[in-house]
Amino acid sequence: MVSILQLVQNLMHGDEDEAPQSTRIQNIGEQGHIALLGHSLGAYISTLDKEKLRKLTTRILSDTTLWLCRIFRYENGCAYFHEEEREGLAKICRLAIHSRYEDFVVDGFNVLYNKKPVIYLSAAARPGLGQYLCNQLGLPFPCLCRVPCNTMFGSQHQMDIAFLEKLIKDDIERGKLPLLLVANAGTAAVGHTDKIGRLKELCEHYGIWLHVEGVNLATLALGYVSSSVLAATKCDSMTLTPGPWLGLPAVPAVTLYKHDDPALTLVAGLTSNKPADKLRALPLWLSLQYLGLDGIVERIKHACQLSQRLQESLKKVNHIKILVEDELSSPVVVFRFCQELPGSDPVLKAVPVPNVAPSVVGRERHSWDALNRWLGEQLKQLVPASGLTVMDLEVEGVCIRFSPLMTAAVLGTRGEDVDQLVSCIQSRLPVLTCTLQLREEFKQEVTATAGLLHVDDPNWPGIGVVRYEHASDDKSSLKLDPEGEKIHAGLLKKLNELESDLTFKMGPEYKSMKSCIYVGMASDDVDISELVETIAVTAREIEENSRLLENMTEVVRKGIQEAQVQLQKANEERLLEEGVLRQIPVVGSVLNWFSPVQASQKGRTFNLTAGSLESTEHTYVYKVQGTGVTPPPTPSGTRTKQRLPGQKPFKRSLRGSDALSETSSVSHIEDLENMEHLSGGPEQAALETSSPELHPGAPTPQDAEQPGVLQNRTQHPEDDQPQVEEPDSLR
């Protein structure tokens, strides 16, 4: 037993050295332990006597059904408990098929073939719902009908009722049977509620089964419920998810329905005579008794208050757009960053603009999506208890969703977390606005700079993307460039060593495999010209250094070959000078003893600076190694910008700013003047050195005519007059 429990613990926690996959750890309180206890109790209860087990499971199922129907105002309903949220809807569809097709049990699919059923789903329904229903029911995909949402009036996430009625009439004329309609009381994306009252009237007129699902059904437990959500109590069935709403782990979902024929519900799988199926309600039965009606209402009410608190706070924040129109009935808050820049294209409006090219519209859309995606990820890291979700909507683009009904009970979200979330949004807005303002300037500076190419990556939220085009860069190729990757890797290292507020990243280009430098978000006013110039000059220096190393390698190789040839020639010349007799072992030794040869040691040295071979005779004669040719100073293309004390790179100068006080302005200007004086010091010192009267220790013209005087001064520096201290500029 101990070894088995240890194995389970290792499987649960894994390797302790591994980083946690997610920061969202469910807060399991006493109600969570009660729900988990229900599963183990159900296993023990299943071992009871059959008669006792039947009575106990029937009591648990009936009590749980009665409580749920009273809490959520669904009178005279039955309940089906299931683990998969969509499983209840599949059973309801099966019940509707058996109700509308009387001979389905006998004839099977032949009945459906003669009169095909149609299931209507909203365009805002959860993804994959229609495919799941067809797979479970064995129906072809043409049996699904996707109803579009409103385009001109009302919410763009609500079902278009007029268009739905037109679709129903067309299907009836074609000999099809409208079977079931799935409405939303809180869409999966933004929490919008369909006009369920109008949909119920339409379904009653055409004999269609109406099923409602959504997060807003939780508000039926509150004292005040909006009319659109309250109309869901009159529908034929609804699916509830009390587990996330109440923070209960491993609690099944519930589908409430109304039907008078128990035989059809048994055939459809909504009811069962097996005790194990009835025991699915035991965890929820225990949790409802533990929480009570007041506890359930308090949790749902707390989640709604959190959403209202966030909505009221976001209304006061500039450049934040809230997408939920029905603020009273929806506990879901969906918002996004949106700023109208002067001269920007109105591409995010609902009505299409004919004068704007589709490519421009798509590029601007991706740009805004990247900024909102960055904002959402930042908020998720800063306030993990908020339970935010970043999602991509078809019309609005990338948005941020706050759904406390699904996350507050699990994560323990409080009002302080909402306030912290709002403050984090306000702190990130200057970064977003500053980045937007600098993007166009960055593009213009990069375009005007030789050797740099601006890469249009709409998915990057930063200032922009730039690529350095080296000499051997093939612009037409989209393959990986090893030399360019090496240059950009060195450039990234140099930029990160500057310790600026900007973040830099290297990655492949948007549409190719070539390396680029991605410049991150800007939190303050950045000197774009200095940034672009630094990138260009640094990349050019890296390329020149790499080429210098390659050239030096080639020069050294050729120098070694030339040295070998010269040494071989020198050896042959030495043989000719010494004669053949001196090369004979015994005769040569005797001859060298009588008449030694005064041969000088000759070798070759390679001067890396001049790139030439030189003789080593001077080294052996004078015992001093030659210095060779002094290399010329390497010109630097960097323009050194004078910064104030404590000023980071790429920041605009504060010189002459009105925000500075008089004292600080004077001190900063003096510092700048001193730095400019120091930077110009060596040139001025060189001029002073050429003037004889400025240096008492320099030789006079008379001394220059007397070599002995100069030699004496060279050999005995201690006899000279004391040197005058050098100025600070020379030091």
Side-chain angles (χ1 to χ4, degrees):
M1 177 67 70
V2 174
S3 61
I4 294 176
L5 293 179
Q6 184 66 34
L7 176 61
V8 174
Q9 182 180 2
N10 295 336
L11 293 176
M12 290 174 57
H13 299 284
D15 192 359
E16 296 181 356
D17 298 335
E18 295 180 357
Q21 298 294 330
S22 176
T23 57
R24 296 185 179 183
I25 301 177
Q26 184 169 348
N27 184 18
I28 301 178
E30 291 186 1
Q31 74 279 359
H33 290 287
I34 290 293
L36 297 176
L37 181 62
H39 292 274
S40 58
L41 286 178
Y44 281 108
I45 291 174
S46 62
T47 61
L48 295 176
D49 182 70
K50 291 185 178 180
E51 185 63 24
K52 293 182 179 180
L53 180 61
R54 183 186 62 81
K55 292 181 180 180
L56 180 58
T57 54
T58 304
R59 173 66 182 275
I60 292 174
L61 181 62
S62 60
D63 287 350
T64 309
T65 303
L66 180 61
W67 294 341
L68 291 175
C69 290
R70 288 182 178 179
I71 292 173
F72 296 100
R73 307 185 185 190
Y74 196 78
E75 299 178 357
N76 302 325
C78 302
Y80 172 68
F81 300 89
H82 46 92
E83 301 296 334
E84 170 66 35
E85 294 184 11
R86 301 172 295 182
E87 182 182 353
L89 178 57
K91 301 291 185 181
I92 291 296
C93 291
R94 198 179 302 274
L95 176 62
I97 291 176
H98 283 281
S99 301
R100 297 299 300 272
Y101 296 92
E102 297 179 357
D103 299 333
F104 180 73
V105 179
V106 179
D107 298 335
F109 186 74
N110 292 328
V111 181
L112 303 180
Y113 180 78
N114 297 328
K115 200 171 186 179
K116 297 179 181 179
V118 182
I119 300 175
Y120 300 93
L121 297 176
S122 172
R126 70 176 75 180
L129 180 60
Q131 183 179 1
Y132 174 82
L133 293 177
C134 290
N135 293 336
Q136 294 295 321
L137 301 174
L139 296 176
F141 289 119
C143 293
L144 294 176
C145 182
R146 193 176 182 87
V147 183
C149 297
N150 296 324
T151 55
M152 298 299 296
F153 304 100
S155 171
Q156 296 181 357
H157 298 273
Q158 288 181 345
M159 193 181 303
D160 192 344
I161 300 178
F163 198 86
L164 171 63
E165 187 173 5
K166 181 178 180 300
L167 292 175
I168 294 175
K169 292 180 180 180
D170 294 341
D171 291 335
I172 295 176
E173 292 177 358
R174 296 173 183 173
K176 298 181 180 181
L177 178 63
L179 181 66
L180 184 138
L181 171 65
V182 181
N184 292 306
T187 57
V190 297
H192 287 198
T193 303
D194 293 327
K195 298 179 181 179
I196 301 178
R198 288 279 292 113
L199 294 177
K200 179 59 179 176
E201 296 175 0
L202 190 64
C203 290
E204 289 179 350
H205 183 267
Y206 291 99
I208 303 175
W209 187 288
L210 178 61
H211 179 83
V212 181
E213 61 179 11
V215 67
N216 292 351
L217 293 176
T219 59
L220 291 173
L222 302 179
Y224 173 77
V225 186
S226 63
S227 58
S228 58
V229 179
L230 188 61
T233 59
K234 305 298 181 182
C235 64
D236 298 308
S237 60
M238 66 169 64
T239 298
L240 308 175
T241 55
W245 298 346
L246 305 178
L248 304 176
V251 168
V254 185
T255 296
L256 303 178
Y257 63 95
K258 297 177 182 179
H259 201 271
D260 299 332
D261 193 348
L264 292 181
T265 57
L266 182 61
V267 173
L270 290 171
T271 57
S272 176
N273 295 325
K274 298 179 180 180
D277 295 337
K278 296 180 180 181
L279 283 176
R280 293 179 183 173
L282 181 58
L284 188 57
W285 183 79
L286 293 174
S287 301
L288 293 179
Q289 288 199 86
Y290 176 82
L291 293 174
L293 179 61
D294 295 338
I296 296 172
V297 173
E298 181 62 28
R299 287 176 178 268
I300 298 176
K301 184 178 180 181
H302 173 68
C304 295
Q305 289 176 350
L306 291 177
S307 63
Q308 293 177 2
R309 185 171 185 172
L310 181 61
Q311 285 180 2
E312 295 175 357
S313 300
L314 291 181
K315 290 178 182 178
K316 305 175 184 178
V317 180
N318 297 328
H319 311 309
I320 294 295
K321 179 183 178 182
I322 303 177
L323 303 183
V324 179
E325 292 88 352
D326 193 359
E327 301 176 359
L328 297 177
S329 62
S330 178
V332 181
V333 182
V334 180
F335 60 94
R336 71 191 309 266
F337 169 73
C338 182
Q339 180 184 13
E340 291 292 339
L341 293 177
S344 61
D345 296 329
V347 298
L348 297 177
K349 297 184 180 180
V351 181
V353 182
N355 297 329
V356 180
S359 59
V360 177
V361 175
R363 184 168 60 253
E364 292 291 334
R365 165 73 178 268
H366 287 298
S367 178
W368 286 106
D369 290 348
L371 292 175
N372 283 279
R373 190 177 292 107
W374 176 86
L375 177 61
E377 295 298 332
Q378 289 286 317
L379 297 177
K380 287 168 60 177
Q381 296 178 4
L382 295 174
V383 193
S386 61
L388 294 178
T389 305
V390 181
M391 58 182 182
D392 191 357
L393 301 180
E394 184 178 358
V395 179
E396 291 83 359
V398 175
C399 301
I400 305 170
R401 179 178 61 189
F402 176 68
S403 182
L405 261 176
M406 302 298 294
T407 59
V410 175
L411 301 177
T413 310
R414 302 175 300 173
E416 293 78 5
D417 298 325
V418 175
D419 297 338
Q420 182 183 1
L421 178 62
V422 176
S423 62
C424 291
I425 293 174
Q426 293 176 345
S427 64
R428 291 299 179 270
L429 285 180
V431 179
L432 294 170
T433 54
C434 185
T435 303
L436 278 175
Q437 294 173 359
L438 296 175
R439 276 186 170 184
E440 187 62 28
E441 183 182 356
F442 179 78
K443 181 178 181 180
Q444 294 177 0
E445 289 288 341
V446 171
T447 305
T449 304
L452 296 183
L453 176 65
H454 182 268
V455 179
D456 190 7
D457 190 349
N459 296 325
W460 177 249
I463 295 178
V465 185
V466 61
R467 179 162 64 90
Y468 177 73
E469 295 181 325
H470 53 89
S472 59
D473 187 9
D474 188 4
K475 300 180 181 179
S476 60
S477 176
L478 301 179
K479 298 181 180 179
L480 185 64
D481 184 13
E483 184 177 354
E485 184 177 1
K486 182 179 179 181
I487 294 175
H488 286 87
L491 176 59
L492 177 65
K493 182 179 179 181
K494 293 290 185 180
L495 293 175
N496 289 330
E497 290 176 355
L498 296 178
E499 297 182 355
S500 64
D501 292 337
L502 295 175
T503 57
F504 301 94
K505 175 185 175 183
M506 189 183 76
E509 192 177 340
Y510 177 58
K511 296 182 179 180
S512 69
M513 297 301 295
K514 295 184 178 181
S515 300
C516 300
I517 295 296
Y518 290 78
V519 185
M521 310 291 287
S523 59
D524 200 354
D525 197 9
V526 178
D527 192 347
I528 297 297
S529 59
E530 182 189 359
L531 171 63
V532 174
E533 182 182 1
T534 303
I535 294 176
V537 171
T538 306
R540 194 176 300 114
E541 290 178 353
I542 294 174
E543 182 185 12
E544 292 176 355
N545 292 336
S546 63
R547 292 190 177 279
L548 178 61
L549 182 60
E550 295 176 358
N551 297 335
M552 185 180 298
T553 304
E554 183 67 20
V555 169
V556 169
R557 187 182 64 83
K558 292 182 179 179
I560 293 175
Q561 295 177 356
E562 184 180 356
Q564 292 177 350
V565 173
Q566 292 184 7
L567 290 176
Q568 185 177 1
K569 291 182 179 180
N571 191 22
E572 294 175 355
E573 293 176 357
R574 183 177 64 82
L575 291 176
L576 293 177
E577 291 179 359
E578 294 179 357
V580 181
L581 294 177
R582 294 183 183 273
Q583 309 304 322
I584 301 175
V586 179
V587 178
S589 300
V590 175
L591 186 59
N592 290 333
W593 182 72
F594 282 104
S595 176
V597 179
Q598 300 295 332
S600 61
Q601 298 179 354
K602 294 183 179 180
R604 295 294 183 271
T605 178
F606 186 75
N607 192 340
L608 293 177
T609 304
S612 60
L613 287 173
E614 298 177 358
S615 176
T616 58
E617 184 177 1
H618 178 80
T619 304
Y620 290 110
V621 172
Y622 298 101
K623 308 299 181 182
V624 177
Q625 186 174 1
T627 58
V629 182
T630 303
T634 303
S636 177
T638 56
R639 176 173 59 89
T640 305
K641 179 180 178 180
Q642 307 298 339
R643 299 189 184 94
L644 297 176
Q647 183 181 359
K648 292 187 176 182
F650 311 134
K651 294 292 184 181
R652 295 189 187 273
S653 177
L654 299 178
R655 186 171 183 175
S657 176
D658 296 337
L660 298 176
S661 62
E662 182 179 359
T663 306
S664 61
S665 301
V666 173
S667 61
H668 288 168
I669 293 174
E670 290 179 353
D671 293 338
L672 283 175
E673 292 176 352
N674 292 334
M675 294 173 68
E676 293 173 357
H677 175 72
L678 292 178
S679 62
E683 292 80 0
Q684 184 178 359
L687 295 176
E688 293 175 353
T689 306
S690 60
S691 179
E693 62 273 10
L694 295 179
H695 291 276
T700 60
Q702 292 79 5
D703 294 336
E705 297 176 357
Q706 300 176 3
V709 177
L710 181 59
Q711 183 179 2
N712 187 22
R713 291 192 178 188
T714 304
Q715 296 178 354
H716 304 281
E718 65 275 3
D719 297 337
D720 294 344
Q721 297 179 359
Q723 297 286 339
V724 180
E725 185 178 359
E726 296 179 350
D728 293 339
S729 58
L730 287 178
R731 186 179 302 172

